[in-house]
Amino acid sequence: CSIVSGEAESYKIAEQGKAIAVLDINPISKGHTLIIPKEHTEKISKTMQNFAEKIAKKIKEKLKPKEILISQATLFKHLIINIIPVYKNETLNSARYKAEPEELKEIQEKF
């Protein structure tokens, strides 16, 4: 909620209707993005799924991963969509790392 409201610092790369796309600050891979609905929801809408696919396509164009993983998850009682670029063999269970602000800003500027 604090990301959606702007209270928490985030690296937003897109916004559409009832959802925003932000870079994960503890990503699995470079460009790992979260699609966060602006309101709590128990179901991913078709519109939100389409938004995730649009962002995945942009990530593929800009960052050139070999593929993209898209999956639903719950984060802080918020249903979200993870978009994870796969460069080697990353999975949802791969180790995360603390992204430096410079890295996140650089990726953000590409979008």
Side-chain angles (χ1 to χ4, degrees):
C1 293
S2 60
I3 291 173
V4 170
S5 69
E7 292 173 30
E9 183 180 9
S10 66
Y11 297 86
K12 182 167 52 171
I13 60 170
E15 185 169 354
Q16 179 179 322
K18 296 183 178 186
I20 62 170
V22 298
L23 296 171
D24 194 320
I25 60 171
N26 295 301
I28 289 172
S29 64
K30 181 178 177 177
H32 181 169
T33 300
L34 306 175
I35 304 294
I36 305 172
K38 292 181 180 178
E39 297 174 359
H40 285 268
T41 182
E42 294 180 18
K43 183 180 163 195
I44 297 294
S45 70
K46 184 70 175 158
T47 303
M48 203 164 126
Q49 184 65 37
N50 290 341
F51 181 46
E53 290 170 9
K54 179 180 168 185
I55 296 302
K57 185 177 178 183
K58 276 190 167 186
I59 290 171
K60 188 113 172 142
E61 289 171 9
K62 305 281 185 184
L63 301 179
K64 309 289 188 219
K66 66 180 184 180
E67 66 178 293
I68 303 275
L69 294 176
I70 299 177
S71 71
Q72 294 182 21
T74 301
L75 185 66
F76 304 116
K77 298 182 183 176
H78 239 291
L79 187 61
I80 63 161
I81 298 175
N82 276 290
I83 303 173
I84 303 169
V86 176
Y87 299 97
K88 294 179 183 166
N89 57 356
E90 296 88 353
T91 69
L92 287 171
N93 299 318
S94 293
R96 291 174 174 262
Y97 68 95
K98 173 80 173 128
E100 294 296 325
E102 296 77 23
E103 175 188 348
L104 296 169
K105 286 176 188 170
E106 178 186 315
I107 297 167
Q108 184 183 38
E109 288 171 5
K110 291 183 179 194
F111 292 87

